[in-house]
Amino acid sequence: MLEQLKKEVYEANMLLPRYNLVTFTWGNVSGIDRESGLFVIKPSGVDYDKLRPEDMVVVDLDGNRVEGEMNPSSDTATHVELYKAFSNIGGIVHTHSPWATSWAQAGRGIPCYGTTHADYMYGEIPCVRNLTREEIEEAYEKNTGVLIAEYFKDKDYVAMPAVLCKNHGPFTWGKNAHEAVHNAVVLENVAMMACRCEMVNPQVQPAPQELQDKHYLRKHGPNAYYGQK
Amino acid sequence: MLEQLKKEVYEANMLLPRYNLVTFTWGNVSGIDRESGLFVIKPSGVDYDKLRPEDMVVVDLDGNRVEGEMNPSSDTATHVELYKAFSNIGGIVHTHSPWATSWAQAGRGIPCYGTTHADYMYGEIPCVRNLTREEIEEAYEKNTGVLIAEYFKDKDYVAMPAVLCKNHGPFTWGKNAHEAVHNAVVLENVAMMACRCEMVNPQVQPAPQELQDKHYLRKHGPNAYYGQK
Amino acid sequence: MLEQLKKEVYEANMLLPRYNLVTFTWGNVSGIDRESGLFVIKPSGVDYDKLRPEDMVVVDLDGNRVEGEMNPSSDTATHVELYKAFSNIGGIVHTHSPWATSWAQAGRGIPCYGTTHADYMYGEIPCVRNLTREEIEEAYEKNTGVLIAEYFKDKDYVAMPAVLCKNHGPFTWGKNAHEAVHNAVVLENVAMMACRCEMVNPQVQPAPQELQDKHYLRKHGPNAYYGQK
Amino acid sequence: MLEQLKKEVYEANMLLPRYNLVTFTWGNVSGIDRESGLFVIKPSGVDYDKLRPEDMVVVDLDGNRVEGEMNPSSDTATHVELYKAFSNIGGIVHTHSPWATSWAQAGRGIPCYGTTHADYMYGEIPCVRNLTREEIEEAYEKNTGVLIAEYFKDKDYVAMPAVLCKNHGPFTWGKNAHEAVHNAVVLENVAMMACRCEMVNPQVQPAPQELQDKHYLRKHGPNAYYGQK
């Protein structure tokens, strides 16, 4: 069942330790098959060096396990909400990557200070508020997804494939699991350089809008000219 | 004698360099066999790349060497006090891991700024005071353990398996040597992100109590649902 | 065509990941054959672990591709302008290396705080202004090169083989592609230490001029005595 | 000639890249044979991955090359002065290791904030002043050594085996080349943690004197009890 997707999601998960985005089991990647409405996600709490493609868990968009012997990631309900709200995405990543998590803990969005950021993410990377006590008690993981979806309701989630959850950590997404991991790496780099940039110049301002536009559109949209075709 | 425990403690010691928690010989791990009241600890000042399972030293709870040709860790007397005071622990780690040690040198406990911290440690990680000149002269290593035990007298040392000793460094513990190392890795990550978090937002406040509760209890206690089973 | 140069430029490109100067495809190296007026450059957006010597693209000083099946780096027009303006250089590097990029994002030149800097670069490493909206819209990459060339019009580009572009990142150069990479590594180290130096002493002043002179001239010019002849 | 010493000094040099203390050729180690009054030092500007034991250069205490085909390190004259002034040392290291160099560039000595520091170095690690223009012009490398020797004239260079040269970088020493490298690693760690410690608590004070005494004397002197015998 979804063997190719399981392989892709497994490989995307294995990129997290390779890019130093996870310690222990602090992260998970999923990828969806839009036709069947099923997605594949890492099992909960399994070490990356013991993870195998066949351990991946298949889940439906109600959050029910459809195949697999292990429990899916404890963040599965968040993934469900994001897949339901963002119809054009095919993969989701959650990590506690250290620099992005430091910004999340600080409760600040990451201003766009340069072209590394603008090449992939359009504008400030948002930090969404804490859930209320009621939201936590009712359904913590689900409401995390609901809150993110609510924030992006009138925004372009393709042009901003990342969010920070206050006092928690980042989620990123993309057209598939691999691109979602790519965006998680970009986010970690951007978070690191934004912090150091503020150390070097505490009064720094975001990059000029025309520079952000140029770089984002150089890589995205009909007139993109970066890369090979 | 205690061959299985020696092997476990040896392996736990070897995780310290693997997780970049030690330079040279600046760390030690022990594990206890509660039935016999004996514990196994790294020999003092031996390089990690020369360490062998059979070098482990067996010590009783009076701090006497029971087996082994080498001197036990110079911090053995601290381990003794912690094993005597914390009856539910099976392993102890001491390191000079850089981020945790930086907080210890700064004389500050580490506030709980996010869920990475709350997943493992409940509340602020404490920093205990310096020993007095008298306490140092009388019995430095023993009194370090006495001070930690005194601090935790009316607190839950299972929910807070870590402490910073002012101007010195951290101790962590767990149900066995391996879990104590796991907690040492968590502590180092949490210390790093707390520092960077304060750089990004000098006015940052601890995470809301309900979020700390949610994450701690998601992983610990009768209603935990993280992981497999 | 230019097979030896292609090999050299390929090898210089492969040094970027080895020295941790690039993530993904965020960097490019070129080298020029002054006799033919042709230069060799990395293809655009190709992963470093898939890059082969035969993928290198040959370009003329009008920016036209002369050989190769792939698109040259999207920054090719910047390289063209630098080769035209700096007649004594043989290689150019662009990266988003994290520390240098943090200074570029902060919009600050890097003061010469010590001999590591002075050994290779004479004086403050400049940070050139943002392009205007008109310059961006007219020809972004070309005008980036024009701006750098304009800045160095009355300055010694051999004694200062590096520049930061505001809100973007660094360019470095040298007598060949390999030396340009060497200077990119120096720049990254210098940028890192300058930031940390300001953390340790926010009132720090540049190194005395006579010390800068001594170190620069110990390694460069007719009376240099560092190294083997 | 001095084959055993050459091998030791070669091996000590090769520890510099292994402990991430050098980039390119930015460092050198020497070791002395007190009987003959000759010392062995790295050749100038030779890459570490091409260095061989037979490349080591033998120099006398007037700074004359006695054996070897290559030029000795450009810092040889500094080593000469230190060997002449510090009769009990057997090895010297110079690096541009990043954290120690950041403190040197900042012009600050490193306060003793904790036991990692106190275990090896007794008190604040000093930062000596810049040479004057006259001292630089007369004999830069020699006068660097003269200045350090002058500073330690009435101090214990065994208890403080490290110094920072303002706007330049560190020198460390020890009873042989290997111990000098060990102290260079300690210095880099201590410099890193002191900077982070000040970030966490800008008002931090040095560790209490009695704690410094305890740790230094636990490892050094007649009553030391750390390690094996």
Side-chain angles (χ1 to χ4, degrees):
Chain A
M1 189 176 194
L2 300 175
E3 296 307 318
Q4 179 56 28
L5 184 61
K6 275 187 213 163
K7 185 164 172 292
E8 282 171 32
V9 171
Y10 165 75
E11 287 170 356
N13 269 287
M14 295 309 291
L15 290 175
L16 297 187
R18 182 174 146 198
Y19 282 109
N20 297 313
L21 299 180
V22 294
T23 297
F24 298 131
T25 60
W26 307 345
N28 46 73
V29 184
S30 71
I32 195 166
D33 175 59
R34 286 288 179 184
E35 206 159 314
S36 63
L38 300 175
F39 68 94
V40 169
I41 192 164
K42 180 179 178 292
S44 182
V46 174
D47 279 348
Y48 278 94
D49 53 9
K50 293 183 184 152
L51 197 64
R52 302 167 305 168
E54 58 265 38
D55 296 333
M56 298 297 111
V57 185
V58 181
V59 181
D60 67 22
L61 284 174
D62 294 319
N64 297 313
R65 183 172 55 183
V66 173
E67 193 201 58
E69 294 181 12
M70 292 205 247
N71 299 335
S73 164
S74 58
D75 299 306
T76 297
T78 312
H79 291 242
V80 166
E81 294 306 312
L82 296 182
Y83 282 127
K84 291 200 292 194
F86 300 163
S87 56
N88 288 326
I89 68 171
I92 296 171
V93 173
H94 172 55
T95 75
H96 291 213
S97 66
W99 286 103
T101 301
S102 297
W103 282 83
Q105 291 190 164
R108 286 186 59 198
I110 306 176
C112 180
Y113 287 134
T115 62
T116 316
H117 179 137
D119 278 336
Y120 296 93
M121 295 170 184
Y122 193 65
E124 177 166 320
I125 299 162
C127 179
V128 296
R129 65 167 172 83
N130 287 124
L131 294 181
T132 64
R133 181 181 294 271
E134 290 69 34
E135 289 166 331
I136 290 174
E137 288 174 1
E138 192 224 357
Y140 174 62
E141 292 83 3
K142 177 187 170 184
N143 284 334
T144 297
V146 168
L147 175 67
I148 296 170
E150 173 72 17
Y151 174 85
F152 277 95
K153 205 175 44 183
D154 53 358
K155 298 192 181 64
D156 182 352
Y157 62 80
V158 172
M160 178 48 67
V163 72
L164 306 177
C165 294
K166 189 160 187 295
N167 298 119
H168 182 31
F171 285 84
T172 60
W173 45 84
K175 66 174 191 274
N176 53 42
H178 190 277
E179 192 183 274
V181 173
H182 193 285
N183 286 331
V185 176
V186 171
L187 172 62
E188 185 66 0
N189 268 269
V190 162
M192 172 179 69
M193 296 200 295
C195 178
R196 291 174 175 173
C197 169
E198 294 188 352
M199 287 166 64
V200 169
N201 180 0
Q203 274 75 46
V204 64
Q205 295 298 312
Q209 190 58 46
E210 58 269 20
L211 183 64
Q212 296 189 38
D213 291 350
K214 178 65 187 180
H215 269 262
Y216 191 74
L217 298 171
R218 193 167 89 146
K219 283 205 166 182
H220 300 87
N223 296 317
Y225 57 90
Y226 183 91
Q228 304 302 324
K229 218 161 31 84
Chain B
M1 188 177 197
L2 301 175
E3 297 307 317
Q4 179 56 27
L5 184 61
K6 274 187 212 162
K7 185 165 172 292
E8 282 171 32
V9 171
Y10 165 76
E11 287 170 357
N13 269 287
M14 295 310 290
L15 291 176
L16 297 186
R18 181 174 148 199
Y19 282 109
N20 297 312
L21 298 181
V22 293
T23 297
F24 299 131
T25 60
W26 306 347
N28 47 72
V29 184
S30 72
I32 194 165
D33 174 61
R34 287 286 179 186
E35 207 160 314
S36 63
L38 300 175
F39 68 94
V40 169
I41 191 165
K42 180 179 177 291
S44 182
V46 175
D47 280 347
Y48 278 94
D49 53 10
K50 294 182 184 151
L51 197 63
R52 301 167 306 168
E54 57 265 38
D55 296 333
M56 299 296 110
V57 185
V58 182
V59 182
D60 68 21
L61 284 173
D62 294 320
N64 297 314
R65 183 172 55 184
V66 173
E67 191 200 61
E69 295 180 11
M70 292 203 247
N71 298 334
S73 165
S74 58
D75 299 306
T76 297
T78 311
H79 291 242
V80 165
E81 294 307 312
L82 296 182
Y83 282 126
K84 291 200 293 194
F86 301 163
S87 56
N88 288 327
I89 69 171
I92 296 171
V93 173
H94 172 54
T95 75
H96 291 213
S97 67
W99 285 103
T101 301
S102 297
W103 282 83
Q105 292 189 163
R108 286 185 59 197
I110 305 176
C112 180
Y113 288 135
T115 62
T116 317
H117 180 137
D119 278 336
Y120 296 94
M121 294 169 184
Y122 193 65
E124 178 166 319
I125 299 163
C127 179
V128 296
R129 67 167 171 83
N130 287 123
L131 294 181
T132 65
R133 181 182 296 271
E134 291 67 35
E135 289 166 330
I136 290 174
E137 287 174 2
E138 193 225 356
Y140 174 63
E141 292 83 2
K142 177 187 171 185
N143 285 334
T144 297
V146 169
L147 175 66
I148 296 170
E150 171 71 17
Y151 174 85
F152 278 93
K153 205 175 42 184
D154 52 0
K155 299 191 181 65
D156 181 351
Y157 61 80
V158 172
M160 177 48 66
V163 73
L164 306 177
C165 294
K166 188 161 189 292
N167 298 119
H168 183 31
F171 285 84
T172 59
W173 46 85
K175 67 174 191 273
N176 54 40
H178 191 277
E179 192 183 276
V181 173
H182 193 285
N183 287 332
V185 176
V186 171
L187 172 62
E188 184 67 359
N189 267 269
V190 162
M192 173 178 69
M193 296 200 296
C195 177
R196 290 173 176 173
C197 168
E198 294 188 352
M199 288 166 64
V200 169
N201 181 1
Q203 273 76 46
V204 64
Q205 295 298 313
Q209 190 58 44
E210 58 269 20
L211 182 65
Q212 295 188 39
D213 291 350
K214 177 66 187 178
H215 269 263
Y216 190 75
L217 297 172
R218 194 167 88 146
K219 284 205 166 182
H220 301 87
N223 296 316
Y225 57 90
Y226 182 92
Q228 304 301 325
K229 219 167 26 88
Chain C
M1 189 175 196
L2 302 174
E3 296 307 317
Q4 179 56 29
L5 184 60
K6 275 187 213 163
K7 184 166 173 290
E8 282 170 33
V9 172
Y10 164 76
E11 287 169 357
N13 269 287
M14 294 310 290
L15 291 174
L16 298 186
R18 181 174 146 199
Y19 281 109
N20 296 314
L21 298 180
V22 293
T23 298
F24 298 131
T25 61
W26 307 345
N28 46 72
V29 184
S30 72
I32 194 166
D33 175 59
R34 285 288 179 184
E35 206 160 312
S36 64
L38 300 175
F39 67 94
V40 169
I41 192 164
K42 179 178 178 293
S44 181
V46 174
D47 279 348
Y48 278 94
D49 54 10
K50 293 182 184 152
L51 197 64
R52 302 167 307 168
E54 58 265 38
D55 295 334
M56 299 295 112
V57 185
V58 181
V59 181
D60 69 20
L61 285 174
D62 294 320
N64 297 313
R65 182 173 56 184
V66 173
E67 192 201 59
E69 293 179 13
M70 291 203 248
N71 299 334
S73 163
S74 58
D75 298 306
T76 296
T78 310
H79 291 241
V80 166
E81 293 307 313
L82 296 182
Y83 282 126
K84 291 201 294 194
F86 301 164
S87 56
N88 288 328
I89 69 171
I92 296 171
V93 173
H94 171 55
T95 74
H96 291 214
S97 66
W99 286 102
T101 300
S102 297
W103 283 83
Q105 291 189 164
R108 288 186 57 198
I110 305 176
C112 179
Y113 288 134
T115 62
T116 317
H117 180 138
D119 278 336
Y120 296 93
M121 295 170 185
Y122 192 65
E124 176 167 320
I125 299 163
C127 180
V128 296
R129 65 167 171 83
N130 286 124
L131 294 181
T132 64
R133 181 181 295 271
E134 291 69 35
E135 289 167 331
I136 289 173
E137 286 176 0
E138 192 223 357
Y140 173 62
E141 291 84 3
K142 178 186 169 186
N143 285 334
T144 297
V146 169
L147 176 67
I148 296 170
E150 173 71 17
Y151 174 84
F152 277 94
K153 206 174 44 183
D154 52 359
K155 300 190 180 66
D156 182 351
Y157 62 81
V158 172
M160 179 47 67
V163 72
L164 306 177
C165 294
K166 188 161 187 291
N167 298 118
H168 182 32
F171 285 84
T172 60
W173 46 85
K175 67 174 193 272
N176 54 40
H178 191 276
E179 192 183 275
V181 173
H182 194 285
N183 286 331
V185 176
V186 172
L187 172 63
E188 185 66 0
N189 269 270
V190 162
M192 173 179 68
M193 296 200 295
C195 177
R196 291 173 175 172
C197 169
E198 294 188 351
M199 287 165 66
V200 169
N201 180 0
Q203 273 75 48
V204 63
Q205 295 298 312
Q209 190 58 44
E210 57 269 22
L211 182 64
Q212 296 189 38
D213 290 350
K214 178 66 186 178
H215 269 263
Y216 190 76
L217 297 171
R218 192 166 91 145
K219 284 206 167 182
H220 300 88
N223 296 318
Y225 57 91
Y226 183 92
Q228 305 300 325
K229 223 166 21 93
Chain D
M1 188 176 198
L2 302 174
E3 297 307 317
Q4 180 56 28
L5 185 60
K6 274 187 213 162
K7 184 164 171 293
E8 283 170 32
V9 172
Y10 164 76
E11 286 170 356
N13 269 287
M14 295 310 290
L15 291 175
L16 298 187
R18 181 174 147 198
Y19 282 109
N20 296 313
L21 298 180
V22 294
T23 297
F24 299 131
T25 61
W26 307 345
N28 47 73
V29 183
S30 72
I32 194 165
D33 175 60
R34 286 287 178 185
E35 205 160 314
S36 64
L38 300 175
F39 68 93
V40 169
I41 192 165
K42 180 179 177 291
S44 180
V46 174
D47 279 349
Y48 278 94
D49 53 11
K50 293 182 185 152
L51 198 63
R52 302 167 306 169
E54 59 265 38
D55 296 333
M56 299 295 110
V57 186
V58 181
V59 182
D60 68 21
L61 284 173
D62 295 319
N64 297 314
R65 182 172 56 185
V66 174
E67 192 200 60
E69 295 180 12
M70 292 204 247
N71 298 334
S73 165
S74 58
D75 299 306
T76 297
T78 311
H79 291 242
V80 166
E81 294 307 313
L82 297 181
Y83 282 126
K84 292 201 293 195
F86 300 163
S87 56
N88 287 327
I89 69 172
I92 297 171
V93 173
H94 172 55
T95 74
H96 291 214
S97 66
W99 286 101
T101 301
S102 297
W103 282 84
Q105 293 190 162
R108 287 185 58 198
I110 305 177
C112 180
Y113 288 134
T115 62
T116 317
H117 180 136
D119 277 336
Y120 296 94
M121 296 170 184
Y122 193 66
E124 176 166 320
I125 300 163
C127 179
V128 296
R129 67 166 171 84
N130 287 122
L131 294 181
T132 64
R133 179 182 297 270
E134 291 67 35
E135 290 167 330
I136 290 173
E137 287 175 1
E138 193 223 355
Y140 173 63
E141 291 83 4
K142 178 186 170 187
N143 284 334
T144 297
V146 169
L147 176 66
I148 296 170
E150 172 71 17
Y151 174 85
F152 278 93
K153 206 175 42 184
D154 52 0
K155 300 190 179 66
D156 182 350
Y157 61 80
V158 172
M160 179 46 67
V163 72
L164 305 176
C165 294
K166 188 162 188 292
N167 299 119
H168 182 30
F171 285 84
T172 60
W173 45 85
K175 66 174 193 274
N176 53 39
H178 192 276
E179 191 182 275
V181 173
H182 193 285
N183 286 332
V185 176
V186 172
L187 172 62
E188 185 67 0
N189 269 270
V190 162
M192 173 178 70
M193 294 199 297
C195 177
R196 291 174 176 173
C197 169
E198 294 189 351
M199 287 165 64
V200 168
N201 180 0
Q203 273 75 48
V204 64
Q205 295 298 313
Q209 190 59 45
E210 57 271 19
L211 182 64
Q212 297 188 39
D213 290 350
K214 177 66 187 178
H215 269 263
Y216 190 75
L217 298 171
R218 194 166 88 146
K219 284 205 166 182
H220 301 87
N223 297 317
Y225 57 92
Y226 183 92
Q228 304 302 326
K229 218 162 28 89

